[in-house]
Amino acid sequence: MNKLKVVLDKTLITSASLLLILMVIFSVWQVLARYVFNISSPGTEESIRYLLIWFGLLTAAYVFGAKKHIAILFFREKFSPRTQLLIERVTDVLIILLAAILMVFGGIKIVLLTSAQTAAATGISLGVVYAALPVSGVFIIIYTVISMMTKRINENEEVGV
Amino acid sequence: MTVIAGILLFASFFFLLLFGAPIAIAIIVSSILTFFLILPFDVAILTSAQRMVTGIDNFTMLAIPLFVLSGIIMNNGGIAFRLVNFAKVLVGKLPGSLAHTNVVGNMLFGSISGSSVASAAAMGRIMTPMQTNQGYKKTYSAAVNIASAPTGLLIPPSSILIVYSLVSGGTSVAALFMAGYIPGILWGLAVMVVAYFMAKKEGYPVSKLPTIKDVLYIVASAVPSLLLIIIVIGGIVAGIFTATEGAAVAVIYATVLSMIYKSIKIKDVPAILKETIEITGMILFLITASALFSLVMSYIGLPEALSRALLSITDHQVGIILIMLAILLVIGTFMDITPAVLIFTPIFLPISQTFGIDPVHFGMIVCFALCIGNMTPPVGSALFVGCSVADVRIEHVIKTLLPYFAVVIIVLLLVAFIPQISLFLPNLFGV
Amino acid sequence: ITGESRELKLAHNQSLDHPIHLSLVEFGRLVEEKSNNELTVKIYANGQLGSEREVIELTQTGAVDVAKVSASALEGFESDYSIFSLPYVFEDYEEFEIVMNNDEITDQLYYQTENIGFIGLTYYNAGTRHLYTKDKEVTSLEEMRGLKVRVQPSQTSVRMVEALGGIPTPMAYGEVYTALQSGVIDAAENNETALVGNNHGEVAKYYMYTGHQIVPDMLIMNAERFEHLTDEEKEIVKEAAVESTMYHEGIWTETIEEFTVIAKERMGVEFVDVDKSIFIEAVQPLHKEYAANEKTRDIYQLIKGGTLSE
Ligand code: NA
Ligand code: NA
């Protein structure tokens, strides 16, 4: 189980890092194109937006694995450890249901709905963009199952930036 | 219908929240439950799935991961020390000078790192040992650090101001950035006033002044770090590049600077990227969850209904603002700034607009009020980190924090009722 | 169907004081009046339910019943709508009106999208797009050369500016003001409302009547919802739509006249008549492409035939 998680983590971090670097390059390119080369770069802004969607949903999935989505644990910690564990499990099931129904099932439906739709500047199919949702949903389900099988206590962050 | 749906939305949201579900999950589940009440299953699922994706379909939003990334690079870039020395030159003559150095350090470093947590940690680590050596009480130095750490969230560049820009329907990032300076600096000054009197009472020492030669060296070594702010904010305000492009420039600049300082090696890069991914994955998912939440709210007509309800209590502008401030302060005690801005802006902004409050000014009110929650229990990120780096217990620091809390609230009232504090700089620069 | 909500949810992204909002309110009023309040219309203004693309998708899924969106936003869903982006497909507004009141053409356009979940009900005048610059008159192709023109992020708009010799610079609409001011762009193109409504007249001092595009707003409706109306209600909705289009024509013309006066007198914008024929000539390669492309060939022929036959 842990081995699988390591592989998933690596996959997500690597692809998200590449997307991030690509987005930095595109943004800087956009400035250079405007001032230095005096040319237009019609597709960059749109490409960046779609890369960002993939980046956002993949990193969100990774954060589920890392249990770093912020939560308010102050009140839950007033309960007995047994109750806390029960609440934790119920939350896990809720996350799996949500990822399965909304992100995977709903995601596939929205991919089908939008696959014929084309983006204004780049002309790519919107289905490719929306596909980030079911993909990240699958990752979230696997992570949560692994967590249910291996971890006993919640480590979600209480604080953010 | 609005009332029933609204109750379901908020009841299920707070229920999940208090039981410790991740906030984003609480937001999404309550939104979908509410949709199930009013839409067929298929339509509810499709609509929600769509909004989960389009909620992050925004070019400006890229500025968030990029500013986080540049902040983390600068964080590892050994610039905290340079900024502390610089701050010491500025305020070294005041009683309790190390405390003032800490405040100014937080304002400078927080401004660049954009994180009250990173700032409180970096400043606390450097300043606490120095202050302890000079006989400062730990509770005193921790309180100063905690009370001033959130200033960097208001002084640009600032992710939370970008979040507000997005959720308020595209309020100009350049205008918000300019607006953040005076409230952020006033906050810092207010903290310094309290620190001054406390230090005088305790008889804390004044630092030895460095020689002119040292001053020149200190200033020169701080300039490259400070230049980042000038290039990025200047570029955005002058319209040379957008906020997102400015953030990309910040990433490149921070990388080059860290390479020159030799403070980052190639082997540090994966850790830097990983930290960026952890923070932004959390923020972007919250943003997209909130996009769904605010769609549900509009769909059931909740903002209008709440606005009407609020206006039926009082139609006096001062009264309404005070009610909103009270709600935001309470929310801020237990909720992090990002989700709170995401959830409450769509509700309060339309109300504020019925009084003709400028959305930039209103952004300052919301963000300032919620930033105060950073230093309060039960959940306060600056409070937690500030206590942990100073090695003091939260309950021991609270009493010392109270006067700071009071002056910051006074500044909040000034910001809320004197629009010019927020709008002077944006107007001056025509953004 | 009993128990089903008889309320039509209508979404659009303009403010409450925009002429199109008033026309949509008129649409709602007409529907309610003609149906004796059997059908009601609830309007979600200000983009409350999302961007135009999101709202079109909501109309597909049925979360929204009716939506007002720009024809350019529909391009990604149905390539026929891209015909409106083709510069000078209509030489002037009269030609546009003739085409849009030709049932043969509009039926093709409006029902084309039935299989992807929505149909068109009517169109609204959303202005004629003209070129405006910060500080120079542009009346010839020589003067166009090297001009940095902000365009909407669409391939056709980019190609149009290229064909005219300018440098297309796609950027978000909200950034145009500052970009003109700082000189990131030299020019932009839009109808007269941009000068006053978005204050572009403060920084752009020349407005050339190039009239290169007439991109209407479209009123679309979820196909299934329309199908489930009684025949009488279908008639009512269609009639109300067409009547609101005529109503809109009046208030739109008034708004443009009012804005032109404000731009001229208060903002000092100079309005310049240009000889369109040189520009029309320059974009002919684009017309050839539209006529040859199998996705746009039919609608192109239909429209060209429609204008020629009159
Ligand atoms: Na900052
Ligand atoms: Na708090």
Side-chain angles (χ1 to χ4, degrees):
Chain A
M1 271 309 178
N2 267 335
K3 217 170 169 187
L4 175 61
K5 183 164 185 295
V6 170
V7 173
L8 293 183
D9 282 351
K10 253 210 172 107
T11 314
L12 286 177
I13 292 224
T14 311
S15 34
S17 298
L18 289 176
L19 289 172
L20 186 59
I21 293 167
L22 212 55
M23 290 188 290
V24 173
I25 294 172
F26 277 16
S27 308
V28 174
W29 163 251
Q30 200 162 266
V31 181
L32 291 180
R34 203 157 61 223
Y35 289 104
V36 184
F37 304 111
N38 228 342
I39 49 169
S40 75
S41 41
T44 38
E45 179 170 325
E46 195 175 88
S47 313
I48 288 172
R49 280 179 18 234
Y50 295 153
L51 292 176
L52 182 66
I53 288 173
W54 271 90
F55 173 83
L57 290 169
L58 288 183
T59 52
Y62 170 77
V63 177
F64 271 98
K67 289 265 174 190
K68 297 248 174 178
H69 279 294
I70 50 170
I72 295 171
L73 302 180
F74 174 76
F75 301 99
R76 181 200 279 188
E77 280 160 2
K78 305 282 173 236
F79 291 107
S80 72
R82 258 184 70 111
T83 319
Q84 284 191 48
L85 189 67
L86 180 71
I87 297 174
E88 171 74 20
R89 287 291 165 264
V90 173
T91 311
D92 283 340
V93 171
L94 201 60
I95 292 174
I96 292 174
L97 275 176
L98 194 74
I101 298 174
L102 174 67
M103 300 179 77
V104 179
F105 173 72
I108 289 171
K109 287 196 79 163
I110 196 98
V111 167
L112 295 176
L113 181 76
T114 57
S115 61
Q117 204 189 118
T118 54
T122 53
I124 64 160
S125 157
L126 262 297
V128 175
V129 179
Y130 278 100
L133 192 63
V135 170
S136 122
V138 170
F139 276 107
I140 292 172
I141 293 173
I142 302 175
Y143 270 133
T144 312
V145 170
I146 293 177
S147 146
M148 287 179 83
M149 293 170 72
T150 55
K151 290 222 179 81
R152 293 190 61 80
I153 33 159
N154 180 297
E155 291 160 13
N156 270 324
E157 296 277 290
E158 183 139 43
V159 294
V161 277
Chain B
M1 198 58 191
T2 300
V3 176
I4 298 168
I7 289 171
L8 175 65
L9 182 68
F10 273 91
S12 54
F13 171 64
F14 278 108
F15 179 83
L16 290 164
L17 197 67
L18 297 184
F19 275 88
I23 300 181
I25 294 294
I27 292 174
I28 299 170
V29 171
S30 57
S31 304
I32 294 191
L33 284 180
T34 311
F35 258 161
F36 283 159
L37 187 70
I38 46 180
L39 287 174
F41 180 83
D42 260 24
V43 177
I45 290 294
L46 261 177
T47 306
S48 309
Q50 177 218 35
R51 204 48 60 113
M52 294 292 300
V53 173
T54 56
I56 19 178
D57 183 5
N58 189 311
F59 182 63
T60 306
M61 203 174 295
L62 175 60
I64 294 171
L66 297 188
F67 276 128
V68 169
L69 175 59
S70 73
I72 291 172
I73 295 173
M74 293 297 262
N75 214 346
N76 290 352
I79 65 152
F81 255 107
R82 292 180 176 86
L83 291 178
V84 164
N85 286 332
F86 180 72
K88 216 169 40 224
V89 170
L90 292 180
V91 292
K93 278 181 82 173
L94 298 169
S97 54
L98 289 179
H100 301 296
T101 305
N102 190 339
V103 176
V104 176
N106 264 332
M107 286 157 70
L108 293 172
F109 187 74
S111 143
I112 295 173
S113 76
S115 153
S116 61
V117 175
S119 192
M123 287 301 132
R125 260 181 226 123
I126 300 171
M127 298 307 300
T128 312
M130 287 163 92
Q131 297 184 56
T132 314
N133 275 343
Q134 291 205 7
Y136 289 44
K137 274 186 201 156
K138 269 190 180 176
T139 45
Y140 172 82
S141 47
V144 169
N145 188 27
I146 292 163
S148 59
T151 52
L153 299 174
L154 296 171
I155 302 173
S158 156
S159 294
I160 196 64
L161 295 180
I162 297 170
V163 169
Y164 174 81
S165 155
L166 294 166
V167 74
S168 63
T171 310
S172 155
V173 174
L176 288 166
F177 276 9
M178 289 322 282
Y181 276 110
I182 298 180
I185 289 170
L186 281 180
W187 178 324
L189 288 177
V191 170
M192 284 169 72
V193 169
V194 177
Y196 174 90
F197 285 109
M198 283 190 170
K200 246 187 149 174
K201 202 176 124 208
E202 301 279 346
Y204 290 151
V206 177
S207 296
K208 259 184 283 162
L209 281 186
T211 63
I212 296 290
K213 210 179 125 194
D214 285 344
V215 169
L216 287 178
Y217 175 76
I218 288 167
V219 172
S221 55
V223 161
S225 313
L226 296 173
L227 211 54
L228 172 82
I229 303 177
I230 294 169
I231 293 173
V232 172
I233 305 297
I236 295 172
V237 170
I240 297 170
F241 36 65
T242 62
T244 309
E245 292 163 348
V249 170
V251 170
I252 302 292
Y253 186 94
T255 310
V256 171
L257 192 62
S258 307
M259 275 158 53
I260 293 171
Y261 285 164
K262 297 200 170 64
S263 50
I264 289 182
K265 300 176 199 70
I266 291 291
K267 71 173 170 54
D268 300 330
V269 171
I272 290 174
L273 288 170
K274 185 172 164 234
E275 196 181 341
T276 308
I277 286 166
E278 279 178 2
I279 294 175
T280 53
M282 184 269 290
I283 298 180
L284 294 180
F285 197 60
L286 264 175
I287 291 180
T288 201
S290 307
L292 174 58
F293 195 77
S294 82
L295 172 69
V296 175
M297 285 199 295
S298 308
Y299 202 87
I300 62 178
L302 198 64
E304 293 128 0
L306 283 174
S307 161
R308 249 180 281 119
L310 204 52
L311 291 170
S312 71
I313 302 174
T314 169
D315 57 3
H316 205 282
Q317 184 176 344
V318 174
I320 296 278
I321 292 182
L322 287 176
I323 293 173
M324 290 198 277
L325 288 181
I327 295 173
L328 291 170
L329 285 172
V330 171
I331 294 296
T333 60
F334 65 89
M335 198 188 281
D336 196 57
I337 308 169
T338 309
V341 166
L342 288 167
I343 292 165
F344 287 93
T345 305
I347 302 177
F348 287 166
L349 183 66
I351 301 175
S352 80
Q353 285 179 331
T354 61
F355 293 110
I357 297 175
D358 188 292
V360 172
H361 175 210
F362 193 69
M364 282 304 126
I365 299 178
V366 170
C367 294
F368 196 112
L370 290 171
C371 277
I372 295 176
N374 236 280
M375 53 189 268
T376 70
V379 180
S381 40
L383 176 71
F384 292 167
V385 175
C387 286
S388 110
V389 288
D391 193 25
V392 289
R393 292 175 65 94
I394 293 175
E395 49 272 35
H396 293 158
V397 123
I398 297 290
K399 214 184 114 200
T400 324
L401 262 176
L402 283 177
Y404 292 104
F405 194 64
V407 288
V408 172
I409 298 262
I410 292 173
V411 179
L412 169 66
L413 292 174
L414 294 177
V415 169
F417 293 108
I418 309 174
Q420 275 308 307
I421 292 177
S422 309
L423 299 179
F424 174 70
L425 287 180
N427 289 341
L428 186 68
F429 285 92
V431 286
Chain C
I1 302 161
T2 49
E4 194 184 348
S5 159
R6 308 299 287 158
E7 178 186 83
L8 297 177
K9 292 186 165 65
L10 190 164
H12 73 88
N13 68 348
Q14 291 291 358
S15 61
L16 299 178
D17 50 13
H18 195 279
I20 192 67
H21 178 74
L22 304 178
S23 304
L24 293 170
V25 169
E26 176 68 7
F27 167 74
R29 192 190 67 77
L30 288 167
V31 168
E32 285 164 18
E33 184 186 273
K34 288 170 192 278
S35 69
N36 291 322
N37 288 319
E38 288 280 304
L39 274 179
T40 59
V41 176
K42 179 169 162 63
I43 300 181
Y44 294 82
N46 282 319
Q48 278 180 69
L49 301 188
S51 69
E52 295 206 316
R53 214 197 77 216
E54 287 170 303
V55 161
I56 298 168
E57 287 174 11
L58 292 181
T59 313
Q60 286 182 299
T61 63
V64 161
D65 302 303
V66 185
K68 191 287 300 172
V69 294
S70 168
S72 64
L74 288 164
E75 276 182 38
F77 294 81
E78 168 50 57
S79 52
D80 273 8
Y81 280 101
S82 74
I83 203 71
F84 295 104
S85 297
L86 178 63
Y88 299 113
V89 67
F90 313 107
E91 287 190 15
D92 50 33
Y93 195 73
E94 284 72 48
E95 208 176 288
F96 168 82
E97 268 190 312
I98 292 168
V99 168
M100 295 307 280
N101 290 301
N102 180 332
D103 288 347
E104 194 200 335
I105 299 176
T106 51
D107 278 355
Q108 152 79 15
L109 200 59
Y110 294 169
Y111 291 100
Q112 182 88 313
T113 51
E114 203 171 356
N115 62 335
I116 54 168
F118 63 89
I119 58 165
L121 291 176
T122 188
Y123 72 95
Y124 296 104
N125 186 353
T128 303
R129 298 178 81 93
H130 307 284
L131 182 79
Y132 54 99
T133 62
K134 196 178 172 186
D135 46 22
K136 81 177 220 198
E137 255 188 53
V138 175
T139 53
S140 66
L141 290 176
E142 285 71 56
E143 286 162 332
M144 268 301 295
R145 187 140 306 129
L147 203 70
K148 274 187 250 175
V149 187
R150 180 267 169 178
V151 290
Q152 294 163 294
S154 103
Q155 285 165 331
T156 313
S157 298
V158 168
R159 300 282 316 282
M160 169 182 73
V161 172
E162 281 171 353
L164 296 174
I167 301 171
T169 310
M171 71 169 61
Y173 188 55
E175 290 164 20
V176 173
Y177 183 98
T178 351
L180 276 170
Q181 200 174 30
S182 65
V184 167
I185 52 172
D186 310 307
E189 49 83 47
N190 212 321
N191 64 56
E192 292 87 339
T193 61
L195 296 175
V196 179
N198 302 89
N199 295 320
H200 291 182
E202 289 171 6
V203 285
K205 296 304 176 193
Y206 291 91
Y207 193 82
M208 272 63 61
Y209 281 122
T210 49
H212 49 272
Q213 282 167 338
I214 302 168
V215 184
D217 282 344
M218 306 303 303
L219 193 67
I220 60 170
M221 181 167 183
N222 176 274
E224 208 175 316
R225 190 72 208 266
F226 186 77
E227 215 33 63
H228 279 88
L229 296 176
T230 64
D231 286 347
E232 191 192 351
E233 284 167 342
K234 284 179 189 159
E235 261 328 291
I236 287 172
V237 168
K238 278 185 168 176
E239 269 175 32
V242 170
E243 283 170 36
S244 68
T245 296
M246 293 185 316
Y247 172 87
H248 182 70
E249 207 59 59
I251 53 174
W252 180 261
T253 312
E254 259 172 52
T255 309
I256 292 298
E257 278 165 8
E258 188 189 321
F259 279 10
T260 307
V261 170
I262 294 174
K264 249 183 218 163
E265 289 173 3
R266 287 202 220 140
M267 298 170 143
V269 178
E270 208 168 306
F271 286 78
V272 184
D273 279 312
V274 297
D275 175 13
K276 281 196 257 183
S277 62
I278 45 168
F279 295 119
I280 296 177
E281 189 60 38
V283 300
Q284 282 315 302
L286 280 175
H287 279 244
K288 291 214 178 68
E289 278 176 37
Y290 265 69
N293 186 327
E294 65 179 287
K295 275 186 175 168
T296 48
R297 187 174 49 206
D298 292 350
I299 190 78
Y300 182 82
Q301 296 306 345
L302 198 57
I303 284 182
K304 277 299 161 192
T307 56
L308 292 178
S309 63
E310 290 293 324

